[in-house]
Amino acid sequence: MKTAGIIFTILSALLFAISPVLVSWTYGWGNNPLTMVLFRNLLVLPVLFVLMKRDHIAVRLPRDQFFQLLFVAAMGSCLTPLLLYSSYTYVGVGTGTTLHFFYPIFVALFCRFFYHEKLGQAKVLALILALTGTLFFMDFSNLKNLAGVAMALASGMTYAFYMVLLEKKGLSRLNPFLCSFWLALFAAADLFVVGSFTDVLCFQQPVISYLTMIVIAMMTSFLAVVLLQKGIEALGSSTASIFCLFEPIGSVICGALFLHENLTPAKILGCLIIILAVVL
């Protein structure tokens, strides 16, 4: 069971790692962060609904789970990508992603102080190594922009809440299609309301942009979310968060392959340190 959880979590991380490349392409076609996150959640709803009907899964939720998922969606499916994608315009993709990946530390702290979970020396050391490895990806010249730094760190905190609450509230044991459907639906509704009041939503985009957003939605709000839920169910949120650190490794490789970013010795060393943390 734990081996399967590890595989699911790593695959989820790699799918999330590819998405910033595709997101950056849509920005060049006139997209913006709020519109991107709205469609990322909206476009996956028909697929999840069909899958639930195929498996004869009831769409309705009990009252307590309805409100729990409403809050979790606001944290993980809405605020997290919105804050992260917005930080890219201030501090760049590399720095924003690096700061976001402080979230395993936040997960460990939330589990320790709110749920009195014992971490153990090996896990604490793994977290320290993971944080150290992540810092090798940092472009420290971008840290002067405090707004971007705050957004990226806040995205890590909201994602940590998302991971912990999925486990502690028992939501990771829900049918993955049902859970993903309601998370996406709540996030899409929240973002549509925000976009309507702020007049930020951009619907006049070329077909290629919409096709790319469909791919992003299937990768992230469908496959990656379902796999992560199964990983958290098998491993627990604090352990799963460490395996999620394959995402910055994947981001570095994708950046080098598709965005022609430099694969520096520091980034390679950071990847090796993170792998050491995961093995530990």
Side-chain angles (χ1 to χ4, degrees):
M1 184 65 177
K2 285 193 173 183
T3 302
I6 290 170
I7 294 171
F8 291 152
T9 307
I10 291 174
L11 287 175
S12 171
L14 293 177
L15 287 170
F16 278 126
I18 299 170
S19 66
V21 174
L22 303 180
V23 169
S24 66
W25 289 349
T26 69
Y27 288 172
W29 297 319
N31 204 0
N32 60 52
L34 197 146
T35 307
M36 177 66 250
V37 183
L38 170 63
F39 278 104
R40 188 182 114 167
N41 289 284
L42 190 63
L43 292 170
V44 79
L45 290 174
V47 176
L48 291 169
F49 185 79
V50 169
L51 289 172
M52 285 193 296
K53 287 298 182 183
R54 184 200 66 181
D55 295 341
H56 306 290
I57 299 165
V59 178
R60 291 186 64 181
L61 287 170
R63 181 184 176 88
D64 57 338
Q65 290 181 338
F66 179 90
F67 287 106
Q68 287 170 356
L69 276 174
L70 179 63
F71 181 72
V72 170
M75 291 290 103
S77 303
C78 182
L79 277 176
T80 296
L82 188 58
L83 287 166
L84 182 59
Y85 293 167
S86 298
S87 75
Y88 292 163
T89 62
Y90 293 93
V91 294
V93 173
T95 301
T97 303
T98 301
L99 292 169
H100 170 74
F101 275 95
F102 279 47
Y103 75 77
I105 303 295
F106 297 140
V107 168
L109 292 175
F110 294 157
C111 287
R112 179 69 183 89
F113 290 107
F114 292 117
Y115 295 96
H116 310 292
E117 182 179 299
K118 293 183 179 179
L119 298 177
Q121 292 183 346
K123 191 174 289 185
V124 171
L125 180 57
L127 286 166
I128 293 171
L129 280 173
L131 177 60
T132 303
T134 302
L135 289 174
F136 278 88
F137 303 146
M138 178 73 75
D139 180 0
F140 288 95
S141 64
N142 285 332
L143 292 180
K144 297 176 183 178
N145 195 310
L146 295 180
V149 170
M151 286 179 184
L153 287 174
S155 76
M157 293 188 70
T158 55
Y159 195 61
F161 270 121
Y162 167 78
M163 292 191 70
V164 172
L165 291 174
L166 270 183
E167 178 198 2
K168 302 303 183 183
K169 297 298 183 182
L171 300 173
S172 61
R173 295 191 293 273
L174 287 173
N175 178 277
F177 298 148
L178 177 66
C179 185
S180 299
F181 176 84
W182 282 105
L183 287 173
L185 180 61
F186 286 141
D190 291 342
L191 290 161
F192 183 76
V193 171
V194 172
S196 298
F197 278 103
T198 58
D199 198 28
V200 174
L201 293 175
C202 175
F203 297 110
Q204 293 184 345
Q205 299 184 45
V207 174
I208 185 65
S209 184
Y210 279 100
L211 292 175
T212 305
M213 284 194 286
I214 291 173
V215 174
I216 294 169
M218 295 303 107
M219 285 172 45
T220 56
S221 296
F222 174 39
L223 288 174
V225 168
V226 168
L227 289 168
L228 179 60
Q229 181 189 342
K230 301 298 290 183
I232 292 173
E233 180 185 4
L235 303 173
S237 55
S238 59
T239 301
S241 69
I242 296 175
F243 285 99
C244 285
L245 287 164
F246 272 92
E247 185 176 337
I249 295 175
S251 294
V252 167
I253 295 171
C254 288
L257 290 175
F258 300 109
L259 299 178
H260 308 295
E261 295 178 351
N262 291 328
L263 191 59
T264 63
K267 289 181 179 180
I268 295 172
L269 181 58
C271 290
L272 294 175
I273 293 173
I274 289 173
I275 291 172
L276 176 61
V278 171
V279 170
L280 180 62

